[in-house]
Amino acid sequence: MPSTPPPEPPDTRTPDAAPADTAAPPPRPVAPEAFGEVVASAAALGRFLRGLPGVDAVGLEARAAALGTRSIKTTAKAFAIDLAISMIDLTTLEGADTPGKVRALGAKGAYPDPTDRTAPRVAALCVYPDMVPVARAAVAGTGIRVASVATAFPSGRAPLAVKLADVRDAVAAGADEIDMVIDRGAFLAGDFLAVYEQIRAVRAECGGAARLKVIFETGELSTYDNIRRACWLGMLGGADFIKTSTGKVGVNATPANTLVLLEAVRDFHAATGVRVGVKPAGGIRTSKDAVKFLVLVNETAGEGWLSNHWFRFGASSLLGDLLMQRQKLRTGHYSGPDYVTVD
């Protein structure tokens, strides 16, 4: 007769325990004093952004590819998988979202692997503003944060008053984090001051209640130089995180464009002492992908960014593959996709 499998270890997490490093620090102020003259006028801001060092596209892509070949094995791989799970903003941003779907996603975020209660919880649940109250109720007592997209996501095409009302409603409903999109049209037209002032206005609406993630939609910015300029614009405007993309266009997060963001936060921290987080979003689907991004973080920004205070994955399908790989390390074989819930 087959032997009886040992019982699963009990869930040792207390009901109000958060994933490691989830508790947010106070939102930071806008442009540090050292950059006061830079943001004093449209001309000064334009000169500063256009004067940033150009990005060597060939060198950037070669470095991203080389770091992606690093081999992570055994205990280091297990650590990386658990760290990646704890960094996920589990996301549903569809027109057909229902309260039931959001509640199910909340349950998955709190107990990603029902067969193993030692699996870490995700960092946040990311939803549209009208679903924030449902998401808050779904993750109450778990320490999982609620993030909400705003500012006419994903296009950003709305008057500023509408964008600010969007943010205000999400914060009032209990969002811990706001993911805003910049006005790419204004940015590409060279109206950097308008984009900066919109970021500052959204930062003010977040107040001390919510951290601000600024989304650039890197796939629409055309060049790495533009992405670098957008990074500095977001950080000067008061972003707590800078984020690659909405996940709604053809080109989303890539190792190369994420490397630009990581270099920018590293350099901003060196210049000001202010740390800003990074969130690649869209197109990251496998454990192998996630590990590549974690290597980029460690080798570019440093260990200080290897927590969900300062690095997140915008994803939902990624969690399923991470759980399958985690089960493989724990049991020695793959359980199969049927054992991982489908969002």
Side-chain angles (χ1 to χ4, degrees):
M1 295 180 63
S3 59
T4 303
E8 290 293 334
D11 181 8
T12 57
R13 300 170 298 186
T14 56
D16 58 352
D21 300 324
T22 294
R28 71 173 188 82
V30 294
E33 187 176 345
F35 289 92
E37 293 184 3
V38 167
V39 298
S41 68
L45 185 57
R47 281 194 302 271
F48 173 78
L49 294 176
R50 293 189 180 97
L52 291 170
V55 179
D56 176 352
V58 174
L60 177 86
E61 292 173 357
R63 176 166 172 76
L67 290 174
T69 64
R70 295 282 178 88
S71 181
I72 306 296
K73 302 293 185 183
T74 60
T75 55
K77 183 176 181 180
F79 173 81
I81 287 173
D82 276 8
L83 181 61
I85 292 172
S86 77
M87 291 173 163
I88 288 177
D89 282 2
L90 198 56
T91 302
T92 183
L93 297 171
E94 303 298 334
D97 285 344
T98 64
K101 181 178 181 181
V102 172
R103 284 192 288 268
L105 208 62
K108 181 174 182 178
Y111 298 101
D113 185 350
T115 71
D116 181 3
R117 294 301 182 92
T118 67
R121 289 171 175 151
V122 301
L125 199 61
C126 185
V127 296
Y128 277 115
D130 64 314
M131 287 293 174
V132 168
V134 178
R136 266 199 90 76
V139 300
T142 66
I144 296 172
R145 306 185 72 76
V146 174
S148 177
V149 297
T151 64
F153 178 95
S155 69
R157 309 306 317 171
L160 180 59
V162 174
K163 294 180 180 182
L164 296 181
D166 203 19
V167 175
R168 197 175 307 124
D169 287 349
V171 173
D176 302 299
E177 300 170 357
I178 294 295
D179 290 34
M180 73 165 285
V181 287
I182 66 166
D183 183 338
R184 280 90 73 193
F187 179 91
L188 291 169
D191 194 352
F192 301 133
L193 189 61
V195 179
Y196 168 76
E197 289 176 344
Q198 287 193 17
I199 296 170
R200 284 197 60 178
V202 173
R203 165 77 278 160
E205 288 294 341
C206 291
R211 295 179 87 192
L212 175 63
K213 306 192 194 89
V214 177
I215 309 170
F216 304 132
E217 201 67 288
T218 51
E220 294 184 347
L221 297 188
S222 303
T223 69
Y224 294 126
D225 286 344
N226 273 343
I227 295 171
R228 176 170 285 173
R229 292 177 187 125
C231 290
W232 280 84
L233 197 54
M235 293 185 295
L236 290 171
D240 295 297
F241 271 78
I242 53 177
K243 178 177 171 181
T244 60
S245 34
T246 64
K248 301 294 187 182
V249 298
V251 178
N252 293 290
T254 68
N257 63 34
T258 302
L259 183 54
V260 177
L261 270 64
L262 289 166
E263 290 175 345
V265 298
R266 176 199 63 195
D267 295 345
F268 190 77
H269 183 258
T272 66
V274 174
R275 194 186 299 272
V276 176
V278 172
K279 179 180 173 180
I284 305 170
R285 296 185 175 88
T286 69
S287 299
K288 186 177 292 186
D289 290 339
V291 169
K292 287 179 181 179
F293 279 87
L294 293 179
V295 171
L296 284 177
V297 175
N298 188 65
E299 297 297 319
T300 307
E303 290 185 19
W305 273 264
L306 281 176
S307 79
N308 62 17
H309 265 327
W310 304 116
F311 192 78
R312 300 280 182 84
F313 291 107
S316 53
S317 59
L318 172 62
L319 180 56
D321 192 70
L322 287 167
L323 292 173
M324 288 179 62
Q325 298 299 327
R326 193 176 191 275
Q327 291 169 356
K328 169 65 161 57
L329 291 175
R330 183 167 64 93
T331 66
H333 62 273
Y334 289 107
S335 299
D338 291 343
Y339 286 82
V340 177
T341 58
V342 177
D343 299 331

